[in-house]
Amino acid sequence: MASEEASLRALESLMTEFFHDCTTNERKREIEELLNNFAQQVGAWRFCLYFLSSTRNDYVMMYSLTVFENLINKMWLGVPSQDKMEIRSCLPKLLLAHHKTLPYFIRNKLCKVIVDIGRQDWPMFYHDFFTNILQLIQSPVTTPLGLIMLKTTSEELACPREDLSVARKEELRKLLLDQVQTVLGLLTGILETVWDKHSVTAATPPPSPTSGESGDLLSNLLQSPSSAKLLHQPIPVLDVESEYVCSLALECLAHLFSWIPLSASITPSLLTTIFHFARFGCDTRARKMASVNGSSQNCVLGQERGRLGVLAMSCINELMSKNCVPMEFEEYLLRMFQQTFYLLQKITKDNNAHTVKSRLEELDERYEDALVLLLTEVLNRIQFRYNQAQLEELDDETLDDDQQTEWQRYLRQSLEVVAKVMELLPTHAFSTLFPVLQDNLDVYLGLQQFVVTSGSGHRLNITAENDCRRLHCSLRDLSSLLQAVGRLAEYFTGDVFAARFNDALTVVERLVKVTLYGSQIKLYNIETAVPSVLKPDLIDVHAQSLAALQAYAHWLAQYCSEAHRQNTQQFVTLISTTMDAITPLINTKVQDKLLLSACHLLVSLATTVRPVFLISIPAVQKVFNSIIDASAQRLTDKAQVLVCRALSNTLLLPWPNLPESEQQWPLRSINHASLISALARDYHSLKPSAAATQRKVPLNDTKVIIHQTLSVLEDIVENISGESTKSRQICYQSLQESVQVSLALFPAFIHQSDVTDEMLSFFLTLFRGLRVQMGVPFTEQIIQTFLNMFTREQLAESILQEGSAGCRVVEKFLKILQVVVQEPGQAFKPFLPSIIALCMEQVYPIIAERPSPDVKAELFELLFRTLHHNWRYFFKSTVLASVQRGIAEEQMENEPQFSAIMQAFGQSFLQPDIHLFRQNLFYLETLNTKQKLYHKKIFRTTMLFQFVNVLLQVLVHKSHDLLQEEIGIAVYNMASVDFDGFFAAFLPEFLTSCDGVDANQKNVLGRNFKMDRDLPSFTQNVHRLVNDLRYYRLCNDSLPPGTVKL
């Protein structure tokens, strides 16, 4: 090695270069490798000791401390005793000499390194470690340093990491517990001394003759006179150094309380002192003084005083969160209650003679005014009329991770505030919002007078730049206010429907008027002076008016129920007018945003409101006819799906408040069949036919027809799947031909993954929603077709297209089989052998060794469902056998298939995918809970300890540490089936097979595993075994090469 001085200069130069902006990543890697090599050299710590005492470079100091940290935590066992003594002596001296000048993060790191040595060597080789800390605390000059050391010791020794054996962890905790009484006494003394020292100058004012009697009464009832007197003392004013010392002491207490048990060490005087400091958080006087004086120094002092209160309450919370409170601590709980109640009283108490109740009533009134003021301010902030410059700075184009623009996020958050005020003060909120909406509506509704006819259509005759700008602001504001009105819809329904009916009716009538107005004069197609600005504004207002009306669908549904009883014409007019507003917009020439808003409103009317007369409204019939008209131009995919869903639901969903006899099912069934037949007309023509004259359709056109038809049909089925049996029957009757065509087409497109994906999505939806209506014979035909088509070659072709439509195809196929194997009864049991063979002989070999998670989760869910719902396929139990043997030892069938499934589960635990691991562990545990899987003879005798071995290896390798609790419980559940075998045979065999530990260490591990048979003790023993095994390997790896172990 070079000289210490030269090495220091070289290291400073390297560190400066490493953190310089111009240094390349490649050069940084070179420097990093150089530094790592230096740190690995024997005796490198001596240079680091010199660096620490001779440099002021923060990077160099931090690097040097990292070298020490690595030496102590990973190589300490192999460091010569003389070197250890020198390090134990030098580092504390260095800390003591420089702690006031070191940057706080270097000082804290150095404290931690010294504590790390104590973690390894105290008390045997570092007997004065804790004594030194106590001495530091007791000396006024070094009290802060001692408290930092104490807190670090509590953090690192009471709850150490896994690089210590469990025995050492227990020893450290016992050593610390022996010091608790002394430590708590010291901390109490520090806090009391500071408090008393600064309380001397604080004069206690005489009691005011007007002071409220209720406070004194509470004090007498809930507190002893002495504590009441103490807690009424004025809060002292602390200097900065005293505040710093107290904050460190309270931080120490909070961490100590997180792990020490409740005992006599926690004295009444300590509790009282902590509550004294909690009062700093209630000191409104200090906060007022800070705000009045206004200086930054006063504000900081006020914040620090408040922080002391927070730290003291953290100590209280740590004590109150204890799960186990000894019987003798009743007085302690009473004292806690008394003093906490006093703090609450202090926070809510007014200086005048008002009671808490009247104070809260005053707060209500003040909050009412404040909330209305807040609402007004928020509404102003979202309006361009008042806040244009700031709002136009918000980005309304770039989408964030939640698919919102900056403007949309701001508006949504503002509307949540509006909704919260509506929830608290509905009348005030409505009376504040509605006039603002009305002002902007008047501008919008007044635009009709400016519409003139031009050669190419209609034009908005507003051309002045200032007028266009004002119109732009008004339209943007109207769009926002319409969203606000829609957000408030939920506060008019349910129990408050009748009470707020008139307000809601006013809103809905206004919204219906606005939507009809926009559709009639076609503002969305009008020419404007600034088309790039005003046209999107007009479209947005129209779309938002439809969306706001849709938000009131549940209110309309409640009104529908009332109207059914009262037969009111008003409701019929509302719905008919709404349909008059919607129908002109369901057109290919209408912009997508507006078209989709109209479609969504139509779906809500058909699905949520469900008026009996909906299908008879001329506007609805017009939409129906345009959809089934073969010559009509098709809407965009999404709009087509929504309109077809609305029309289907209008015909299929039962009308509310009507008996079955009045539902007109025969007529609705005929109309629904006509609808589906028209929608699937082109699709049906694709069916393979024996006729030689069959029309040849180009592949791409065929794909388009399949996509367009199946997306609509799948959506219709999905939306009816949870409805009544009658609705599903009618739906399947209409779909029958389409389903048969799909099955006939499937083999022809087996190599077209995108088409197969859509077909299987459709079949999956059918199986989930309409399998009862499909009937057993046809369902069997579908399953058999799929099983025949998905050969091993086809599966491989699909799966090996990683992350593609091919994998989705296989996953959907497996999902269909999941539905099949769960079906009760015997109808589909004959398919079980084929399904299991497909899983284990065709799918599993392809995916087993692939790192990709594709298909795996679905395959294992299918295997689990197969076992869970078809247990008797593997284990046949008879009542006679149960009676004769006293226990049910089932007869095993299909053993090879069962063993193969279990082996697949075992293999999955060796793979890195934590989600698959969690899922499969849950499946095994469920099978054990429901079916006693671990108790079955085949599992108990041939698989049990293989699974235990795999799970223990997973714990040792820390590959799935997030699941260690679940793994520990699973190991217990398996071992509990045969505890004798586990302790006598498995555990010795497991330890024998462990590498990286010697024979003596294996014996210690075996002896330390107690033969406890309850869950908490057993899992504790498992985690101890795993921890100590890792610790021994770490120790053995840290020894220098050639070390002889005796």
Side-chain angles (χ1 to χ4, degrees), residues 817-818 820-826 828-829 832 835-836 862-875 894 927 931:
L817 295 180
Q818 288 169 19
V820 172
V821 298
Q822 291 180 75
E823 194 63 25
Q826 296 300 310
F828 301 123
K829 301 304 178 195
L832 285 177
I835 291 173
I836 296 170
L862 173 55
L863 293 174
F864 165 68
R865 302 280 173 209
T866 302
L867 290 166
H868 188 39
H869 295 277
N870 302 277
W871 195 249
R872 287 174 58 80
Y873 177 76
F874 302 99
F875 299 96
N894 302 299
L927 288 172
Q931 318 283 6

Side-chain angles (χ1 to χ4, degrees), residues 213-225 228:
E213 293 179 9
S214 63
D216 296 335
L217 179 63
L218 283 169
S219 295
N220 292 332
L221 283 174
L222 295 166
Q223 294 174 349
S224 63

Side-chain angles (χ1 to χ4, degrees), residues 569-835:
Q569 185 58 38
Q570 190 179 39
F571 175 74
V572 177
T573 305
L574 272 181
I575 300 298
S576 301
T577 312
T578 302
M579 282 309 308
D580 290 338
I582 292 172
T583 307
L585 303 176
I586 299 177
N587 191 301
T588 53
K589 295 174 183 174
V590 174
Q591 293 87 351
D592 217 32
K593 183 175 188 176
L594 198 48
L595 169 61
L596 290 175
S597 291
C599 293
H600 280 294
L601 177 54
L602 179 60
V603 168
S604 291
L605 290 176
T607 308
T608 305
V609 186
R610 302 190 199 181
V612 175
F613 55 85
L614 188 63
I615 195 67
S616 60
I617 296 174
V620 177
Q621 292 178 347
K622 185 178 178 184
V623 173
F624 188 94
N625 291 332
S626 69
I627 288 293
I628 64 174
D629 182 0
S631 61
Q633 197 172 353
R634 194 179 189 275
L635 299 170
T636 59
D637 283 356
K638 198 167 184 183
Q640 184 82 5
V641 165
L642 289 170
V643 173
C644 293
R645 182 198 303 173
L647 295 175
S648 175
N649 285 355
T650 302
L651 296 168
L652 290 181
L653 296 181
W655 292 319
N657 308 308
L658 279 183
E660 193 72 9
S661 58
E662 296 178 29
Q663 292 288 343
Q664 300 179 25
W665 289 125
L667 177 61
R668 294 165 79 182
S669 178
I670 292 167
N671 288 334
H672 194 266
S674 302
L675 173 67
I676 299 299
S677 178
L679 292 174
R681 187 185 299 113
D682 291 341
Y683 185 62
H684 292 170
S685 70
L686 298 175
K687 185 176 182 179
S689 166
T693 57
Q694 186 183 356
R695 179 170 60 97
K696 289 284 183 186
V697 182
L699 179 61
N700 284 342
D701 292 350
T702 303
K703 285 186 174 184
V704 169
I705 293 170
I706 291 171
H707 165 72
Q708 290 179 342
T709 308
L710 290 185
S711 60
V712 168
L713 298 185
E714 183 183 336
D715 183 81
I716 287 172
V717 176
E718 195 168 337
N719 278 276
I720 208 71
S721 60
E723 295 297 331
S724 66
T725 303
K726 189 67 181 175
S727 298
R728 284 181 288 153
Q729 280 176 348
I730 294 172
C731 184
Y732 183 66
Q733 285 167 9
S734 305
L735 283 168
Q736 246 177 325
E737 186 178 354
S738 301
V739 177
Q740 288 167 347
V741 169
S742 300
L743 191 61
L745 286 174
F746 187 79
F749 290 94
I750 191 67
H751 298 292
Q752 304 284 332
S753 291
D754 50 347
V755 178
T756 319
D757 185 22
E758 292 193 284
M759 285 189 166
L760 284 174
S761 285
F762 176 54
F763 277 110
L764 178 58
T765 308
L766 281 172
F767 270 74
R768 284 174 171 167
L770 300 178
R771 65 182 176 279
V772 175
Q773 286 70 34
M774 285 161 63
V776 172
F778 187 54
T779 307
E780 287 178 346
Q781 186 185 340
I782 296 171
I783 298 167
Q784 195 59 59
T785 302
F786 290 165
L787 290 172
N788 291 344
M789 294 311 303
F790 281 105
T791 60
R792 181 160 187 169
E793 293 73 22
Q794 180 56 45
L795 288 164
E797 178 189 317
S798 298
I799 292 170
L800 294 174
Q801 301 172 22
E802 195 164 312
S804 68
C807 284
R808 291 200 302 275
V809 164
V810 178
E811 286 173 347
K812 282 171 185 169
F813 174 44
L814 296 175
K815 283 180 180 176
I816 289 172
L817 295 180
Q818 288 169 19
V819 177
V820 172
V821 298
Q822 291 180 75
E823 194 63 25
Q826 296 300 310
F828 301 123
K829 301 304 178 195
F831 286 108
L832 285 177
S834 303
I835 291 173

